[in-house]
Amino acid sequence: MFEKLCIIGVGLIGGSVARAAREYGLADKIIGLGRQDDVENLRLALSMGVIDEFHLTPGPAVQEVDCIVLAAPVGAMRSIFDQLKPYWNDKVIVTDVGSTKASVIAAANHVFGSVPPNFVPAHPIAGAEKSGVEAAQTGLFLHKRLIITPLENTSQQAVNVVQSFWQGLGAYVSVMDVERHDAVLAATSHLPHVLAYALVDMLGHQDEKNAIFQFAAGGFKDFTRIASSDPTMWRDICLANKNQLVPLLQQLKAELSHVEDLLQAGDGQQLFEIFNYARRARQRFLNLYEGSMSKSITFTVQPGGKLQGEARVPGDKSISHRSIMLGSLAEGITQVTGFLEAEDALATLQAFRDMGVVIEGPHEGKVTIHGVGKHGLKAPKNDLYLGNSGTSMRLLAGLLAGQAFDSVLTGDKSLSGRPMKRVTEPLAAMGASIETSQQGTAPLRITGKAGQLSGLDYPMPIASAQVKSCLLLAGMYAKGETCVTEPAPTRDHTERMLTGFAYPVSTQANRVSINADGKLTAASIDVPSDISSAAFFLVGASIAEGSDIVLKHVGINPTRTGVIDILRLMGAHIEILNSDIVGGEPVADLRVISRPLNGIDIPEALVPLAIDEFPALFIAAACAQGQTRLSGAEELRVKESDRIQVMADGLQTLGINALPTPDGMIIQGGKLGGGEVFSHGDHRIAMAFAVAGLKASSAIVIHDCANVNTSFPNFKELARHLGLSLESHEASFSK
Ligand code: SPQ
């Protein structure tokens, strides 16, 4: 990028910029500039090869350079601008690394009259407690956030160059205005540093002889780690950002004195609420961070092999969602076992914690829900983020429409593109007020209409368990009867679980009715294994010659067993063993022995009963003799991805004749080859192509598999345990 790069201040940050710029080939020659009292450090930098030459005065240092990085403490910026002014050249790109931006801009304004357009203020959110060039690291900025705060008059060309430069060093660049940058950093970085310094200062003075510190454990070290940072630098940062920092310190003092009062009064309940809220809030911050630092996972499956042995796939996703929802609304304590500890179900769990429900766990599938009763939910302090989970969003829309508070439901990119009018329109007919985007998608802004919803008689235009469940949940808060008529049977977990919680709900033929006259009484829920997760192995064991597996304790609710019926119609051998009923849901062990499959015309009546299993069934069809035709399944186009198009694309890449139609697919069974396919972030597509490897002639590489964690976090381990030769590779990137 640059022939000559000048770094002013070759310490930890400046040295790391130099090392990374050299390593990643961004600068041919790197020049250091420092003060007279920094000469030893500069010599060291030179001897370590971090810089190519150094100077103690700006004139020779900035001569003919293309870019200058100001890596000096923020308190020194005014004097640096003063020294650079006589040599300032509009063609040279200048950026800095200061942790506060208003003070740097004020210094530039003071010296130049206005901030020069070729100066792009920047702040890498990266550092270490160590200082000096010997601590410099090439990877200091790798996968770290960096904020640039351009001004109105900053040249766009300079912004582009600075952005590319920092990205070239491995950072994720965001743009922010100066004020916001300083406010955000005051709260998340400067205040915690002040706290750490102040605490250690206080305890240190009290205890010069180390009697306390020798008993300090991990918690103390974690909390005070940042008090080992460079005190000069942090003094300067705090002084430079005092306008943002002082009000925060005042708020914190008020919070501490509130805690003190609670302690004096022995008010354990209030203390618990503060601690518990803080714990949840921290988890939410971490989730947000993880959500914004996305992981990219690639699966590689080696061809051939067979599946053998026993396995228990994780808990049913649909039932896990509903256990949290109804358990939260129940009176008393609900114990859940077999809960699915995967992102979708955890998003529902977090949403209810955000609405004040105390939920313990999950720990090894066990969750304890301290139900708050039908009217006990509290207004969430923030938007409810539901990740990738359509079920969470659609069911919550119904439940929240009739609450006494407003709420906002958000989700990831895929969920934010999925149709929500199917629930918001009938809810509006009940009197709900829900704003969506113009396209009828999330975020959903719900104005709570407690006591104002009316029942509805709704013939569902599509067979959807989510729409049915959404309206039943709204119906629990509506005046009069809410009745939903289904065009075809869909999963009935909501109805079964309401009955398990003693809430009156009546089903007559294809019509379900509910009203507000009821309450939920806490119950125990044993979540069976998810047949939708089992489906990958039902197909895998059917297509891979020599396979013989048993899948334990799988939910075989008749509204979910379409996959077994379809595979059996194709000639598969699936035995249902040890049938039982647990908590109102039928379960069994499923034994599958490989058999040659034949293509079939899939009966449309089975489509809603196997709706999530089609990605796996398409693989079965690709391995079957003859043609398989699916129709009446247009719903597949609006799942986590367009499952018709994405599966057809992947199958074609693998050499299969797969013709997508508006409402299904025509697949000619054939020989599966290898190749690279894309799951488009859809968990079920990723897992379907993974089991296809069993019949492929060479390796299949599947991109974008991170969302397997939404429904089946231990898929890789379980698939390998049964015999699939599957590897995964991970990389992180910023969304
Ligand atoms: O929750 P989400 O993202 O909608 O999950 C999916 C899945 O494949 O995991 C659909 F993409 O399952 C839905 C299912 O398709 C879960 C569900 C439920 O729990 O009520 C019902 C079905 O959706 P729909 O739209 O047919 O009601």
Side-chain angles (χ1 to χ4, degrees):
M1 268 187 99
F2 304 126
E3 278 177 29
K4 263 187 172 184
L5 169 69
C6 174
I7 297 189
I8 304 187
V10 191
L12 166 75
I13 303 279
S16 299
V17 172
R19 274 186 181 277
R22 191 184 302 286
E23 175 77 19
Y24 303 136
L26 301 182
D28 291 339
K29 188 163 185 189
I30 302 176
I31 295 146
L33 170 64
R35 291 188 315 251
Q36 183 60 49
D37 58 4
D38 196 32
V39 70
E40 280 315 314
N41 183 58
L42 288 164
R43 281 203 186 108
L44 182 62
L46 188 63
S47 70
M48 289 164 63
V50 173
I51 51 176
D52 299 300
E53 62 182 59
F54 70 82
H55 298 275
L56 301 175
T57 53
V62 300
Q63 210 174 21
E64 290 175 355
V65 296
D66 312 289
C67 176
I68 301 173
V69 178
L70 311 177
V74 283
M77 283 301 187
R78 196 161 133 190
S79 128
I80 288 175
F81 284 132
D82 264 330
Q83 292 173 53
L84 285 179
K85 191 175 176 189
Y87 310 97
W88 196 269
N89 173 346
D90 290 345
K91 297 205 174 52
V92 175
I93 304 286
V94 185
T95 184
D96 76 320
V97 301
S99 298
T100 62
K101 297 278 53 117
S103 69
V104 173
I105 281 158
N109 267 325
H110 182 89
V111 173
F112 296 101
S114 67
V115 177
N118 57 331
F119 173 51
V120 184
H123 173 209
I125 305 181
E129 301 83 74
K130 298 181 188 135
S131 46
V133 70
E134 57 275 47
Q137 311 159 30
T138 308
L140 190 68
F141 310 108
L142 202 58
H143 306 317
K144 301 282 169 50
R145 291 207 169 275
L146 180 135
I147 299 169
I148 55 174
T149 60
L151 305 177
E152 251 175 37
N153 72 328
T154 310
S155 124
Q156 190 53 47
Q157 187 252 348
V159 170
N160 295 345
V161 173
V162 166
Q163 188 157 347
S164 308
F165 177 64
W166 285 110
Q167 281 167 344
L169 302 185
Y172 303 136
V173 179
S174 309
V175 180
M176 239 183 227
D177 69 53
V178 173
E179 175 99 357
R180 178 153 166 72
H181 169 276
D182 285 4
V184 167
L185 269 291
T188 57
S189 170
H190 309 165
L191 181 65
H193 275 83
V194 171
L195 283 180
Y197 282 125
L199 178 72
V200 182
D201 178 64
M202 181 191 92
L203 294 178
H205 281 101
Q206 267 178 19
D207 187 49
E208 293 287 351
K209 294 199 186 77
N210 293 335
I212 299 178
F213 290 150
Q214 66 182 325
F215 295 108
F220 179 79
K221 281 195 192 147
D222 285 351
F223 188 83
T224 59
R225 178 181 61 80
I226 48 182
S228 299
S229 308
D230 181 346
T232 313
M233 183 174 91
W234 280 98
R235 176 204 60 197
D236 288 356
I237 291 172
C238 292
L239 284 172
N241 204 18
K242 68 176 184 197
N243 290 346
Q244 301 285 352
L245 194 48
V246 169
L248 285 169
L249 280 167
Q250 282 160 353
Q251 279 174 35
L252 185 76
K253 278 195 227 162
E255 175 89 16
L256 285 176
S257 70
H258 179 50
V259 171
E260 184 188 337
D261 292 346
L262 295 176
L263 285 170
Q264 295 281 16
D267 190 341
Q269 182 56 31
Q270 287 287 321
L271 268 182
F272 170 79
E273 288 200 0
I274 292 177
F275 293 176
N276 196 35
Y277 173 77
R279 177 171 177 245
R280 291 197 322 249
R282 180 171 188 273
Q283 192 52 50
R284 202 173 54 242
F285 296 148
L286 294 179
N287 293 349
L288 275 180
Y289 176 77
E290 300 226 315
S292 65
M293 301 295 279
S294 188
K295 278 194 203 115
S296 151
I297 294 180
T298 303
F299 282 169
T300 304
V301 53
Q302 296 305 326
K306 58 187 173 198
L307 300 185
Q308 278 184 324
E310 270 188 15
R312 180 168 171 156
V313 301
D316 188 282
K317 182 154 77 77
S318 297
I319 299 177
S320 295
H321 283 302
R322 287 152 171 91
S323 70
I324 298 293
M325 295 180 185
L326 299 189
S328 296
L329 299 177
E331 290 171 20
I333 296 177
T334 290
Q335 305 279 2
V336 185
T337 51
F339 180 79
L340 172 67
E341 295 183 41
E343 285 169 10
D344 274 17
L346 291 172
T348 294
L349 188 150
Q350 184 58 42
F352 281 85
R353 280 189 173 147
D354 291 347
M355 292 189 284
V357 183
V358 174
I359 303 176
E360 296 172 54
H363 180 63
E364 293 178 352
K366 290 200 178 65
V367 178
T368 304
I369 307 164
H370 298 256
V372 294
K374 215 172 120 183
H375 299 285
L377 294 178
K378 291 191 183 139
K381 293 203 164 72
N382 293 290
D383 297 355
L384 298 171
Y385 177 72
L386 303 168
N388 194 244
S389 177
T391 308
S392 313
M393 185 166 284
R394 293 190 180 128
L395 270 58
L396 273 173
L399 174 59
L400 296 178
Q403 299 297 326
F405 53 80
D406 301 344
S407 50
V408 179
L409 306 183
T410 63
D412 70 5
K413 198 168 158 225
S414 152
L415 182 54
S416 304
R418 290 176 68 185
M420 291 296 148
K421 277 193 187 151
R422 58 183 58 202
V423 289
T424 57
E425 284 180 353
L427 285 172
M430 294 176 77
S433 163
I434 306 182
E435 245 181 67
T436 64
S437 75
Q438 273 199 334
Q439 296 72 40
T441 53
L444 304 186
R445 292 173 198 286
I446 304 173
T447 306
K449 294 277 181 190
Q452 297 172 58
L453 298 188
S454 325
L456 176 73
D457 197 335
Y458 190 62
M460 269 197 304
I462 43 170
S464 164
Q466 291 180 353
V467 175
K468 173 178 66 175
S469 304
C470 161
L471 298 181
L472 293 178
L473 290 171
M476 286 168 52
Y477 297 88
K479 281 189 223 101
E481 200 80 350
T482 298
C483 305
V484 184
T485 310
E486 307 188 274
T490 66
R491 64 193 72 188
D492 61 0
H493 306 301
T494 307
E495 298 91 299
R496 284 176 189 251
M497 204 180 282
L498 280 166
T499 306
F501 278 95
Y503 197 96
V505 57
S506 102
T507 304
Q508 265 155 2
N510 58 345
R511 189 174 159 85
V512 193
S513 317
I514 200 166
N515 61 43
D517 307 331
K519 65 171 193 163
L520 296 124
T521 307
S524 291
I525 299 172
D526 175 359
V527 181
S529 294
D530 197 331
I531 192 166
S532 299
S533 298
F536 304 104
F537 303 119
L538 299 181
V539 168
S542 297
I543 60 176
E545 220 174 293
S547 297
D548 184 353
I549 60 166
V550 175
L551 301 170
K552 307 288 284 181
H553 203 69
V554 180
I556 52 159
N557 178 319
T559 59
R560 298 285 298 281
T561 46
V563 61
I564 298 179
D565 300 334
I566 293 170
L567 282 172
R568 280 179 170 167
L569 287 174
M570 296 175 82
H573 177 103
I574 303 174
E575 292 169 36
I576 296 181
L577 311 169
N578 305 322
S579 298
D580 198 359
I581 303 274
V582 291
E585 290 280 351
V587 295
D589 299 338
L590 302 180
R591 180 173 185 206
V592 194
I593 301 174
S594 58
R595 287 282 184 277
L597 301 180
N598 300 308
I600 57 164
D601 282 356
I602 297 173
E604 284 198 12
L606 290 178
V607 169
L609 311 181
I611 192 69
D612 295 337
E613 286 67 73
F614 283 105
L617 286 167
F618 292 149
I619 300 297
C623 299
Q625 172 98 38
Q627 195 175 72
T628 297
R629 300 164 72 94
L630 171 70
S631 58
E634 52 278 275
E635 271 296 295
L636 291 179
R637 292 205 177 266
V638 289
K639 297 293 181 185
E640 285 85 322
S641 69
D642 175 344
R643 288 181 175 164
I644 293 177
Q645 192 59 49
V646 171
M647 283 302 298
D649 290 347
L651 286 172
Q652 285 161 11
T653 304
L654 301 180
I656 295 295
N657 181 351
L659 180 70
T661 64
D663 65 344
M665 198 167 349
I666 302 169
I667 300 174
Q668 194 65 44
K671 287 222 167 311
L672 270 175
E676 277 186 65
V677 296
F678 295 85
S679 83
H680 292 259
D682 186 329
H683 53 138
R684 303 212 187 275
I685 306 275
M687 293 185 274
F689 280 119
V691 293
L694 289 160
K695 285 296 266 187
S697 58
S698 56
I700 301 179
V701 176
I702 310 149
H703 293 286
D704 210 359
C705 301
N707 275 346
V708 165
N709 286 330
T710 60
S711 66
F712 199 160
N714 62 338
F715 172 72
K716 183 179 102 182
E717 291 71 24
L718 233 146
R720 285 164 61 103
H721 161 78
L722 289 174
L724 193 70
S725 177
L726 176 66
E727 296 289 344
S728 69
H729 308 276
E730 201 175 292
S732 291
F733 61 91
S734 168
K735 276 183 184 168

